Every structure is written in C-alpha cells, then in structure tokens.
Amino acid sequence: DAKTTQPNSMESNEEEPVHLPCNHSTISGTDYIHWYRQLPSQGPEYVIHGLTSNVNNRMASLAIAEDRKSSTLILHRATLRDAAVYYCILCTDKLIFGTGTRLQVFP
Amino acid sequence: DAEITQSPRHKITETGRQVTLACHQTWNHNNMFWYRQDLGHGLRLIHYSYGVQDTNKGEVSDGYSVSRSNTEDLPLTLESAASSQTSVYFCASSESVPEGNTEAFFGQGTRLTVV
C-alpha cells in the first residue's frame, strides 16, 4: 500500500480557512485519495475522497495536484468542532491509516 | 437510519481468556473491517472481509480471528487475551463498489483492557 506524508500538527483560528497538505509520491493509478478525521474519543469520520479531479462536498474541498503526487484538504471556515486528527489515505480496497495531522482550532 | 454498532463499549478481561467483540451493521455492506488504535497512534488493520465466508488478515492479525457467517456481523475474537492487546478497537463497513470509490462508516469503538 502506498504511503502518505502529513505534518504532525497544524493550527488555525476559528472562521479562517485551513489547508491540510498530504504528499503521496508513490501513488498508483488506481489509488483513490481519501480523507477521514477523528474527533476525540470517537471513531473516524469520512470527510471526502477523489481520484483525479478536485472534489467539493458540504464538509470540505479536496484539491488534487495534476500529477496526483500531492493533495490538499481545504476547510473553508474552521470551527472549534473541526479540531481533530485528519488522515490522508490512499485506498484501492481498504483503508490503511498513517499518523495523520492533529488540527488545533483557536477561538 | 442505517448504522454500525459495536458491543460492548468497554470491557475488562484477564490474561489468557477468550474475548469476542461484536460488530453489527445495517447498511447491508459487503466490506467489513476491524482496526485497533493504541494511545497516540493511528489505526492499524487487524482483519477484513469482503463478503460472507470471506476473511483476510491485515497488518496486525496475530492473536485475532474473525468469521463472517452473514452480511451484517463480523465478530472479532481474541483467542487468548494478552496485555499487549489492550487497545481501542474500531469496526468499519463499506460498500463493494469500484474499489476505493466509497466511504467507510466506523463504529464508536470498544475499549478493551486486559489485566
């Protein structure tokens, strides 16, 4: 399974946009890029996924580089509830988690 | 509403005992997964199943087993519990659409302590 690299932690202020980066230089053509987040004491929660094109949903946007070797999860206006660990995962049939990025949101 | 439930939510057991953690989903998903998460770490895949009678080993399968007799359930059994298996266990399920092009739904977790 191809690996991803994410910063250990990031900080944001409430109501500001947040860009969470992910590098995946060994991605294969069939790997989907998934993002999940895990709030304290909860199970992971699906955020968004994509293959080649940028994706938007009610929670976030996913920007995928043209060569697919990196991607960015965009939270348009961070709230305190967005404080969580965010996992970037390459998936063909199962999710293999890395260590993720811990996002802190300050009032 | 469809859901995925794990039971029990908390369990304390003794070293050497057999323990079974339950996972039940009502989405009729073919794919089911078991993960463990240790303090300060990400989730590690234990076992997974793509359908009834199908089971596969994940990254950390030693000491664990699963069986899939129906679509809704994937129980995880610790054959002889060890202190190293103290962890939080998460179950997940997903549709078997084109591989990778689907979201997974996770349970709330089972906190297992082996003393």
Side-chain angles (χ1 to χ4, degrees):
Chain A
D1 297 292
K3 299 292 186 183
T4 62
T5 304
Q6 300 177 251
N8 288 333
S9 62
M10 292 187 64
E11 297 177 352
S12 175
N13 294 318
E14 202 173 10
E15 298 189 3
E16 290 185 351
V18 181
H19 291 232
L20 297 168
C22 181
N23 288 318
H24 29 77
S25 58
T26 59
I27 190 170
S28 72
T30 56
D31 285 334
Y32 280 81
I33 302 163
H34 284 243
W35 284 82
Y36 283 75
R37 71 180 186 180
Q38 187 174 23
L39 280 64
S41 301
Q42 294 190 23
E45 173 187 32
Y46 169 81
V47 178
I48 201 166
H49 78 282
L51 185 62
T52 57
S53 303
N54 295 344
V55 184
N56 300 295
N57 66 21
R58 62 175 180 81
M59 290 182 67
S61 295
L62 175 60
I64 301 173
E66 194 169 339
D67 63 5
R68 299 210 326 128
K69 293 185 177 182
S70 65
S71 61
T72 302
L73 179 70
I74 302 166
L75 307 179
H76 296 286
R77 290 184 66 210
T79 68
L80 297 178
R81 194 193 175 278
D82 291 323
V85 178
Y86 287 79
Y87 296 99
C88 170
I89 304 165
L90 301 183
C91 178
T92 50
D93 57 348
K94 54 188 181 295
L95 300 170
I96 302 298
F97 286 77
T99 53
T101 296
R102 181 173 299 278
L103 175 66
Q104 292 182 282
V105 180
F106 297 105
Chain B
D1 287 344
E3 60 181 1
I4 181 166
T5 56
Q6 295 184 231
S7 61
R9 293 293 311 278
H10 302 271
K11 184 170 182 65
I12 301 175
T13 191
E14 295 179 343
T15 301
R17 289 191 178 270
Q18 183 181 81
V19 177
T20 296
L21 309 182
C23 177
H24 179 80
Q25 52 96 3
T26 58
W27 278 292
N28 203 36
H29 287 163
N30 282 327
N31 301 343
M32 295 187 72
F33 309 87
W34 272 104
Y35 294 85
R36 62 176 286 175
Q37 185 172 34
D38 301 301
L39 192 63
H41 292 82
L43 285 79
R44 290 183 291 172
L45 183 63
I46 305 172
H47 280 287
Y48 57 102
S49 168
Y50 291 142
V52 176
Q53 302 301 328
D54 175 75
T55 61
N56 305 279
K57 294 181 178 180
E59 305 168 278
V60 289
S61 61
D62 288 349
Y64 303 94
S65 64
V66 294
S67 63
R68 188 87 180 272
S69 59
N70 59 53
T71 301
E72 296 79 18
D73 300 289
L74 186 69
L76 177 71
T77 298
L78 287 68
E79 303 294 343
S80 176
S83 57
S84 60
Q85 294 176 308
T86 292
S87 187
V88 179
Y89 292 84
F90 290 101
C91 179
S93 72
S94 67
E95 289 184 296
S96 55
V97 297
E99 294 174 341
N101 190 21
T102 183
E103 66 180 280
F105 297 86
F106 285 79
Q108 288 300 302
T110 294
R111 183 176 297 276
L112 177 68
T113 302
V114 183
V115 298

